[in-house]
């Protein structure tokens, strides 16, 4: 059977708890690699270059686009975000499933370029809960929170392009569900055609 890893896109409204959820899954299961994106946004307190993001200038980002170093990129609330190609391909070749925590425009580009990718959308239990989490995080101004909530309303109409939604109420439970969905994707017939062909050939030879 093919040991190649798959691409897993995880999107969700800002404040839906994607980061915490992905961390819980990575802590528990070790067959995953998390892609670190490049961005032109400024680091938040506690974020480190090369860990949460590669923090780059706009000029550097545009050069990365030019040199085709990114498998997708998008503009989100006035900043560029993009997924570096090399790490993703390397990890997939090594048999790891690569998690891309990216927004919806990027997710749609990934689906177009890699139709076998799995697209997951993380939702909070309610819109009220979303606002509470964004305010509670305390890292953004009121104005940015409003922009992010506005963007969430826009993004809601794109959810139907995803394969599954995850309701992030209890983190541990949700992380396990995410793991199970990814494992199920590995078993899809369309992703195992070589194995099936091989089995057919072997059966003919019996
Ligand atoms: P934040 O500024 O809160 O870290 O991220 C803002 C949004 O950008 C989030 O929805 C996040 O998932 C998304 N994002 C992060 N990295 C990438 C990326 O490489 N590509 C795209 N398209 N979106 C990204």
């Amino acid at each position: 059977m093919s040991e190649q890893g798959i691409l897993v896109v995880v999107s969700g409204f800002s404040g839906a708890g994607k980061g915490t959820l992905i961390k819980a899954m990575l802590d528990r299961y070790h067959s995953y690699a998390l892609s670190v994106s490049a961005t032109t946004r400024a680091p938040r307190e506690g974020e480190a270059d090369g860990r949460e993001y590669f923090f780059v200038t706009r000029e550097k980002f545009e050069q990365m686009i030019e040199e085709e170093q990114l498998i997708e990129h998008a503009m989100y609330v006035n900043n560029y975000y993009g997924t570096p190609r090399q790490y993703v391909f390397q990890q997939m070749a090594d048999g790891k499933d690569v998690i891309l925590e990216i927004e919806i425009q990027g997710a749609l580009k990934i689906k177009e370029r890699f139709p076998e990718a799995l697209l997951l959308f993380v939702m909070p239990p309610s819109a009220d809960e979303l606002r509470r989490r964004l305010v509670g995080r305390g890292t953004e101004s009121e104005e940015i929170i409003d922009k992010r909530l506005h963007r969430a309303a826009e993004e809601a109409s794109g959810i139907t392009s995803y394969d599954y939604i995850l309701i992030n109420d209890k983190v541990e439970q949700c992380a396990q569900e995410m793991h199970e969905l990814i494992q199920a994707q590995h078993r899809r017939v369309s992703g195992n055609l070589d194995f099936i062909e091989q089995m057919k050939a072997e059966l003919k030879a019996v």
Side-chain angles (χ1 to χ4, degrees):
M1 272 186 83
S2 161
E3 294 296 328
Q4 166 96 357
I6 58 174
L7 271 179
V8 181
V9 170
V10 182
S11 302
F13 309 134
S14 182
K18 290 165 300 203
T20 317
L21 188 60
I22 291 169
K23 188 172 180 311
M25 190 181 73
L26 296 179
D27 283 349
R28 192 169 334 162
Y29 306 101
H30 300 108
S31 51
Y32 301 113
L34 180 63
S35 161
V36 177
S37 298
T39 184
T40 57
R41 110 157 141 64
R44 294 189 187 122
E45 201 166 315
E47 288 183 334
D49 188 41
R51 191 179 62 198
E52 280 78 15
Y53 285 103
F54 295 105
F55 295 100
V56 300
T57 60
R58 190 165 279 254
E59 292 69 39
K60 168 78 181 157
F61 197 99
E62 284 169 354
Q63 186 191 342
M64 291 170 88
I65 299 174
E66 187 79 12
E67 293 174 356
E68 298 187 357
Q69 291 180 34
L70 305 170
I71 53 175
E72 63 73 36
H73 69 274
M75 201 60 143
Y76 180 91
V77 189
N78 308 330
N79 279 298
Y80 277 128
Y81 294 80
T83 306
R85 169 192 305 277
Q86 201 192 353
Y87 177 83
V88 170
F89 285 4
Q90 182 62 56
Q91 293 295 317
M92 283 168 74
D94 287 350
K96 296 268 188 186
D97 296 330
V98 182
I99 313 292
L100 310 182
E101 187 199 327
I102 64 177
E103 52 68 69
I104 198 159
Q105 303 165 68
L108 298 182
K109 277 184 228 155
I110 291 289
K111 191 73 186 176
E112 212 177 278
R113 297 188 58 185
F114 308 95
E116 68 287 3
L118 177 66
L119 268 58
L120 306 176
F121 198 95
V122 181
M123 322 253 285
S126 69
D128 271 356
E129 175 64 20
L130 186 66
R131 176 169 257 287
R132 255 197 305 279
R133 287 183 192 176
L134 273 176
V135 173
R137 190 155 82 180
T139 52
E140 260 90 17
S141 65
E142 190 68 23
E143 187 200 342
I144 293 284
I145 289 175
D146 282 345
K147 274 196 182 164
R148 284 177 176 245
L149 284 170
H150 185 73
R151 178 67 180 240
E154 278 171 20
E155 287 193 340
S157 59
I159 300 176
T160 46
S161 304
Y162 284 72
D163 296 308
Y164 297 97
I165 59 161
L166 284 164
I167 314 277
N168 189 15
D169 194 359
K170 300 203 168 58
V171 172
E172 287 300 320
Q173 193 181 325
C174 196
Q176 183 175 341
E177 241 180 71
M178 175 147 73
H179 171 69
E180 286 164 3
L181 288 172
I182 299 169
Q183 295 315 302
Q185 182 78 356
H186 275 281
R187 299 289 171 264
R188 285 182 65 85
V189 166
S190 58
N192 289 283
L193 294 177
D194 289 348
F195 176 68
I196 294 164
E197 282 309 311
Q198 185 192 327
M199 178 67 79
K200 276 163 62 183
E202 284 174 12
L203 284 170
K204 258 195 210 147
V206 180

